[in-house]
């Protein structure tokens, strides 16, 4: 049996979805017997590999690095799961959107609220440029499966992964599996 290549990606979010993934507890041992984790904040992989079977993408797209990363992820992945409310809707990370462009947010955080010598961080290649709007994953690339929740529960994550391991498309229905927040 060919092992599934699994990846997880963390964009603009709090890492709560990845913490729920770890809440799979002992089932992680069963999962490890069936997949190769080829890219994740949990693994020491620096470059997103080609030929990924399933990727769980946590977080919204909030900066230029996220925008570039999600395009690479989509290009190199067969099934992309929008993992958690930030990835699905923008959720908390999109709370800055009503303020307009990124500039008012940066001004407030780094200039107006600064104790001394306020400066907006700018270092090309180190500090990514914020997008003017935080956007959910599906507004940039096609998404195959939506897994809502803030964060999704381990039960929800397991249901999706078990179906994918069987070669089936997950059928999430009922409040336990499709609730937001």
């Amino acid at each position: 049996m060919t092992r599934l290549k699994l990846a997880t990606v963390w964009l603009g979010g709090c890492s709560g979805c990845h913490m729920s993934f770890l809440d799979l507890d002992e089932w992680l041992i069963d999962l490890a017997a069936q997949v190769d984790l080829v890219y994740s904040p949990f693994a020491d992989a620096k470059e997103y590999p080609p030929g990924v079977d399933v990727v769980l993408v946590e977080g919204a797209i909030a900066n230029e690095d996220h925008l570039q990363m999600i395009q690479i992820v989509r290009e190199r992945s067969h099934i992309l799961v929008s993992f958690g409310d930030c990835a699905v809707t923008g959720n908390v990370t999109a709370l800055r959107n009503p303020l307009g462009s990124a500039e008012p947010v940066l001004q407030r955080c780094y200039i107006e609220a600064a104790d001394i010598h306020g400066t907006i961080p700018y270092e090309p290649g180190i500090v990514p440029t914020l997008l003017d709007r935080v956007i959910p994953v599906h507004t940039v690339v096609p998404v195959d499966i939506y897994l809502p929740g803030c964060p999704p529960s381990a039960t929800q994550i397991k249901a999706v992964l078990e179906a994918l391991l069987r070669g089936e498309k997950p059928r999430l229905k009922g409040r336990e599996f499709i609730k937001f927040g």
Side-chain angles (χ1 to χ4, degrees):
M1 179 178 164
T2 305
R3 292 169 61 88
L4 203 71
K5 290 183 182 176
L6 176 67
T8 71
V9 172
W10 178 17
L11 302 175
C14 70
S15 84
C17 297
H18 277 83
M19 295 301 101
S20 275
F21 182 86
L22 293 176
D23 285 342
L24 289 166
D25 298 330
E26 290 84 8
W27 192 74
L28 287 170
I29 296 166
D30 297 333
L31 181 63
Q34 301 174 70
V35 304
D36 290 321
L37 186 64
V38 295
Y39 186 90
S40 176
F42 305 134
D44 188 25
K46 305 295 184 220
E47 187 175 323
Y48 194 84
V52 172
D53 296 306
V54 176
V55 59
L56 304 175
V57 178
E58 173 182 354
I61 298 159
N63 64 44
E64 293 289 339
D65 285 3
H66 298 155
L67 191 58
Q68 181 182 8
M69 182 63 174
I70 197 62
Q71 291 164 343
I72 291 168
V73 166
R74 178 70 274 186
E75 177 184 306
R76 297 180 182 178
S77 304
H78 180 64
I79 297 172
L80 190 151
V81 179
S82 199
F83 181 36
D85 288 351
C86 289
V88 173
T89 67
N91 202 29
V92 174
T93 50
L95 287 174
R96 71 175 167 92
N97 287 351
L99 300 174
S101 70
E103 190 60 32
V105 175
L106 293 169
Q107 284 290 326
R108 176 71 183 124
C109 291
Y110 292 103
I111 304 297
E112 297 167 19
D115 291 335
I116 56 171
H117 309 298
T119 304
I120 295 175
Y122 177 77
E123 189 62 43
I126 296 175
V127 179
T129 303
L130 290 180
L131 299 177
D132 280 335
R133 295 188 56 75
V134 175
I135 51 180
V137 172
H138 72 272
T139 62
V140 178
V141 297
V143 168
D144 301 299
I145 298 165
Y146 294 89
L147 179 54
C150 185
S153 69
T155 303
Q156 290 170 287
I157 297 165
K158 183 178 178 185
V160 166
L161 291 175
E162 283 180 324
L164 291 171
L165 288 167
R166 291 190 306 268
E168 301 169 2
K169 183 169 183 176
R171 303 272 187 248
L172 299 177
K173 57 185 178 179
R175 177 159 172 70
E176 178 184 357
F177 289 105
I178 57 171
K179 69 177 185 164
F180 289 85

